[in-house]
Structure formats: C-alpha cells, structure tokens
C-alpha cells in the first residue's frame, strides 16, 4: 500500500475554521486558506507576517504581552471563554472573533496554534437581544407606572360611589330600604369585586418574575367575582356549577379570562331566553373548564382565527374590535394552558379551557 504523506499546510487547509501557527516572537509561520479568507488576504499572504497585522492598533501593545505570557505559561484556551476579541481585515475594518489557543512543538520549536472563528453574526444577535431586553425593561417600567395610575384613578370614583350609596341608604324610608335591600347588596358586591380586580391589575403590573410565582386559585370564588362584575340582561340566565376544580396561576389574569368569555356570551346572545353554563372537571394533572351558551356559535372556519388580534367571531357585528379573545388566548398561554372552541349541546359555542390542576388543600 502506498504511504499517504500530507504536509502540515495541507492538514490545516482541511479545517473549516481559520488556523494560524505562530512562533514566540509573534510571527505567523503558517496560515490556512480559511484564515486568509477571514481577514481578506490572498491565500499564502499571511505567512511570515507579524501577528499584529490582524489586530486593531489600539490592542496591539496589550496583545504582545499576552502572547509573551502564553509562551511562558502555555495552557489550552477553548472557544467561548468570554473575552471580547476583535480582528482587523486588510481594509482596516474590524469584526468579532473567537479564538481557541493551544501550544505545540514543531521541529523542536515551541509554537501556538490559534483557531479563529468569525463571530459577527452571533455578536450582532447578542447585541440585538440586549437592545430588545432594554426596550422590554423600559416598557415594563412604563406599564407598572400605568397600572399604578389606573388603580389610583379608578379606586377614587369607586370609593365615591360606595359613599353615595351609603348616604342614599340612610336617607331612604325604612319600607323602601327593605324593598331595595337586595339591589343594594348587588351593587355593594359589584363594587367590592371591581375594587379587587383593580388591586389585582395593579399588583400584576408591578410584579417581578419571582413575585409572580403561581399559586393555587379557587375557581369557584373567581367565578363568583366575575358574576358580580357582569350586568346580566333580563333574558340571560347564567348557571355556575358548584365545586369547580382549583387551578394554579394568577388569579387576576384568570378572572380576566372568564370575564371576557362571559361578556362575549352575553353580548352575542339574542335568544328570547339566553343560557350560559360554566362547569368543570378534573383530569389527572389538569383542570378543565367549559363555558357554553345557546347563542349563534362560531363557524368552524373561524375557530382558529378568532384568537388572532382584531379577528371577530362574526362579520355582522360592528361594536366588536376583535380584541377580547386574543387577550384570552394570550393569557391562557401565559398561564400554561390552552383554549379551544367547538359546538355546545346548548346550541351555541363551547369554550374548553385546560389549565394545571391544584389540590384544593393548598389554599389560594
């Protein structure tokens, strides 16, 4: 068999990264074709050149000390060890590089093998991600400020309404107080639920990731709060099943989901006798909830698109902006759940919401 002999130059030319072999004085002994291409030199042009040729001028003095130090104390340096490195092309432009170093002895002479990789694309992505994160932090700060402002501005009129109702109740004759007692109780429940919702929005808007850790949520209690926030027309009957399974998540966000779904069910239902049912069941590690009605339903062709922003479940309504279900879908994803639509046995639409289950004993 014929013996295969490959030179060192041919060997490093096979490698996909740029490779330089450098002696202790910082002179390039060998450079592969990929290294020449990286720095925009013709093949073979880097041999016998000073290594400083490929380094930005402001770093050359410091780099010379690093080279000397490496030869005195050689060690393997792997790619991606965190140092910010720049290379200089023939035209003087600079680009991000990563370099792995290893010491070798060739013909009894200590040398360094430098493997060079162009990191321009990765560094551009990192810089873009950092910029996005800074923008997101600024937006979150503004949202926190907005949530606090909204909470403050809405709580004041609620307190005024509560005070006015109290004054009206005191001014009413005893007979009328008895007659209006139930209605006044409903108003007070609504005010309380609205105040709780506003407080929840404010808390959520300023919560950090650590603060927003999920907790067990009593969904039966959440649906009762939703009930107090709804204005049910005379032709709509709402049935909330007892003992809904508990879930884990953010109570305010889950309240927002069901408030949107039930508000939609009321808005779109023009039956002489409208029906809305909310029920649920436990499935192993999942809590499943059903919101169904006897309204017009949602056509199968629209059931996927209806969760997109500005998409509507019907093209005949002009008082809908197509935002509510998009918010519901986004919140469900945030809470680690999902939502789907199909036909309801009542004749309209049935929304199925699947969320993580939580044992009742853990509390809220």
């Amino acid at each position: 068999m014929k013996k295969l002999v490959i030179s060192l130059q041919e060997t490093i030319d096979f490698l996909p990264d740029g490779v330089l072999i450098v002696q202790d004085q910082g002179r390039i002994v060998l450079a592969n074709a990929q290294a020449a291409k990286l720095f925009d030199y013709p093949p073979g042009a880097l041999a016998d050149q000073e290594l400083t040729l490929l380094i930005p001028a402001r770093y050359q003095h410091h780099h010379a000390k690093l080279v000397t130090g490496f030869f005195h104390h050689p060690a393997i340096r792997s790619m991606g060890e965190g140092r910010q490195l720049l290379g200089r092309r023939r035209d003087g432009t600079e680009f991000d590089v990563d370099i792995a170093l290893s010491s070798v002895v060739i013909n009894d002479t200590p040398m360094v093998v430098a493997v060079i990789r162009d990191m321009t694309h990765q560094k551009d992505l990192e810089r873009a991600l950092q910029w996005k994160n800074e923008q997101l932090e600024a937006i979150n700060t503004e949202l926190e400020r907005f949530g606090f402002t909204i909470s403050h501005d809405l709580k004041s009129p609620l307190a005024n309404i509560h005070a006015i109702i109290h004054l009206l109740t005191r001014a009413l004759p005893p007979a009328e107080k008895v007659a209006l007692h139930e209605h006044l109780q409903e108003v007070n429940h609504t005010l309380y639920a609205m105040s709780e919702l506003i407080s929840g929005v404010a808390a959520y808007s300023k919560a950090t990731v650590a603060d927003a850790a999920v907790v067990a949520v009593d969904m039966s209690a959440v649906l009762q709060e939703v009930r107090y926030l709804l204005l049910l027309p005379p032709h709509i009957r709402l049935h909330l099943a007892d003992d809904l399974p508990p879930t884990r998540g953010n109570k305010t966000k889950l309240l927002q989901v069901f408030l949107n779904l039930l508000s939609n069910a009321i808005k779109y239902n023009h039956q002489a006798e409208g029906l809305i049912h909310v029920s649920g069941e436990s499935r192993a590690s999942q809590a499943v909830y059903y919101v169904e009605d006897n309204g017009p339903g949602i056509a199968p062709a629209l059931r996927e698109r209806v969760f997109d922003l500005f998409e509507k479940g019907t093209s005949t309504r002009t008082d809908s902006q197509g935002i509510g279900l998009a918010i519901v879908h986004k919140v469900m994803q945030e809470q680690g759940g999902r939502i789907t639509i199909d036909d309801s046995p009542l004749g309209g639409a049935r929304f199925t919401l699947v969320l993580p289950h939580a044992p009742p004993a853990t509390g809220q």
Side-chain angles (χ1 to χ4, degrees):
M1 180 183 293
K2 186 177 179 179
K3 187 175 182 180
L4 181 63
V5 179
I6 301 177
S7 69
L8 181 57
Q9 180 67 61
E10 290 173 316
T11 301
I12 63 176
D13 279 339
F14 281 124
L15 300 176
D17 292 313
V19 177
L20 301 176
I21 299 179
V22 183
Q23 64 164 213
D24 60 354
Q25 298 302 314
R27 183 177 61 85
I28 300 171
V29 177
L30 289 177
N32 70 349
Q34 185 62 23
K37 182 179 177 181
L38 279 178
F39 292 93
D40 196 27
Y41 284 88
L46 293 178
D48 294 324
Q49 298 290 333
E50 294 297 321
L51 184 60
T52 52
L53 181 70
L54 308 179
I55 299 169
R58 61 188 182 281
Y59 298 131
Q60 288 177 2
H61 179 70
H62 178 64
H63 189 270
K65 292 182 179 180
L66 292 177
V67 171
T68 301
F70 188 86
F71 273 98
H72 288 161
H73 303 285
I76 294 176
R77 180 191 183 279
S78 301
M79 289 277 189
E81 290 195 353
R83 182 174 294 174
Q84 180 73 28
L85 301 171
L86 294 172
R88 184 179 67 176
R89 298 188 181 93
R90 181 168 54 164
D91 63 2
T93 59
E94 299 177 2
F95 65 107
D96 294 289
V97 296
D98 198 1
I99 300 176
L101 300 175
S102 181
S103 61
V104 295
V105 176
I106 301 175
N107 297 329
D108 297 324
T109 302
M111 296 191 185
V112 171
V113 177
V115 180
I116 305 167
R117 184 171 297 167
D118 186 349
M119 300 296 291
T120 302
H121 180 64
Q122 290 88 333
K123 292 295 181 181
D124 284 346
L125 289 177
E126 288 177 12
R127 284 186 280 267
L129 181 60
Q130 182 179 356
W131 183 83
K132 289 287 187 184
N133 285 338
E134 290 171 356
Q135 293 295 308
L136 184 60
E137 186 175 344
I139 291 170
N140 284 339
T141 300
E142 193 60 34
L143 284 175
E144 179 181 339
R145 191 177 297 118
F146 176 75
F148 177 80
T149 302
I150 290 295
S151 173
H152 177 270
D153 291 349
L154 289 181
K155 276 193 171 183
S156 294
L158 281 180
N160 290 339
I161 293 170
H162 184 80
I164 291 168
I165 290 173
H166 180 68
L167 291 173
L168 286 173
T169 303
R170 290 177 59 184
L172 286 172
E176 292 189 20
K177 284 183 183 180
V178 173
L180 294 175
H181 177 73
E182 184 177 341
H183 297 303
L184 291 172
Q185 284 293 97
E186 285 288 323
V187 172
N188 279 325
H189 283 312
T190 302
L191 286 172
Y192 174 77
M194 192 67 189
S195 180
E196 286 290 294
L197 178 58
I198 292 169
S199 297
V201 169
Y204 186 85
S205 69
K206 66 181 180 182
T208 63
V209 174
D211 295 330
V214 295
V215 296
V217 179
D218 181 349
M219 290 305 294
S220 293
V222 167
L223 264 297
Q224 286 300 326
E225 289 190 34
V226 171
R227 168 66 185 83
Y228 290 131
L229 291 168
L230 292 170
L231 179 62
L232 281 177
H235 72 287
I236 298 288
R237 286 196 295 113
L238 171 62
H239 175 260
L240 302 177
D242 296 328
D243 300 324
L244 292 173
T247 186
R248 295 187 66 80
N250 180 278
K251 175 185 173 182
T252 301
K253 285 294 185 178
L254 294 174
L255 188 151
Q256 184 182 16
V257 164
F258 283 90
L259 185 58
N260 267 291
L261 291 177
L262 294 179
S263 295
N264 276 357
I266 293 169
K267 181 196 297 186
Y268 293 107
N269 196 320
H270 298 296
Q271 299 284 359
E273 186 178 346
L275 302 174
I276 303 173
H277 287 188
V278 179
S279 58
E281 61 179 341
S282 298
R283 293 183 191 167
S285 61
Q286 295 177 330
V288 184
Y289 308 94
Y290 305 100
V291 178
E292 47 193 326
D293 59 55
N294 66 338
I298 298 176
L302 296 176
R303 288 176 186 173
E304 291 293 331
R305 291 166 39 204
V306 79
F307 293 115
D308 296 335
L309 195 61
F310 305 124
E311 289 286 347
K312 305 174 186 178
T314 172
S315 59
T316 61
R317 295 288 300 226
T318 59
D319 58 345
S320 173
Q321 288 76 43
I323 297 175
L325 288 181
I327 293 173
V328 166
H329 186 253
K330 183 176 183 295
V331 173
M332 287 296 293
Q333 289 182 321
E334 289 176 355
Q335 300 299 303
R338 64 181 186 274
I339 181 170
T340 56
I341 309 171
D342 56 10
D343 295 323
S344 167
L346 300 178
R350 177 172 67 177
F351 289 85
T352 301
L353 300 88
V354 181
L355 288 160
H357 186 269
T362 59
Q364 188 170 327

